[in-house]
């Protein structure tokens, strides 16, 4: 369980990074639908990142 909890912040950061790169790339290419999808995933990634960091700070080793 600790291995999974340690990976959650990295997963959130990965979601944010990939979503922003893909979203702005599709925005540049003019594909509005995929731009909305990928840029809409950025807040989800921040939420996962925040939950992972707070959970790691509050867990009892």
């Amino acid at each position: 369980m600790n291995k999974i909890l340690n990976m959650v912040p990295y997963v959130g950061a990965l979601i944010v990074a990939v979503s922003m790169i893909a979203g702005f790339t599709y925005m540049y290419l003019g594909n509005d639908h995929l731009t909305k999808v990928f840029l809409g995933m950025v807040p989800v990634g921040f939420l996962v990142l925040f939950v992972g960091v707070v959970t790691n700070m509050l867990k009892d080793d």
Side-chain angles (χ1 to χ4, degrees):
M1 187 70 174
N2 284 336
K3 289 181 183 179
I4 294 172
L5 287 177
N6 288 337
M7 291 297 295
V8 172
Y10 296 113
V11 171
L14 181 67
I15 292 171
V16 170
V18 169
S19 297
M20 288 194 65
I21 291 170
F24 282 108
T25 300
Y26 282 119
M27 186 187 311
Y28 176 74
L29 294 176
N31 193 339
D32 292 338
H33 176 70
L34 286 175
T35 299
K36 292 176 191 175
V37 170
F38 280 110
L39 290 180
M41 288 297 293
V42 173
V44 175
F46 274 115
L47 181 65
V48 172
L49 175 66
F50 182 72
V51 167
V53 169
V54 170
T55 303
N56 276 322
M57 290 175 65
L58 294 177
K59 74 179 178 182
D60 188 26
D61 284 333

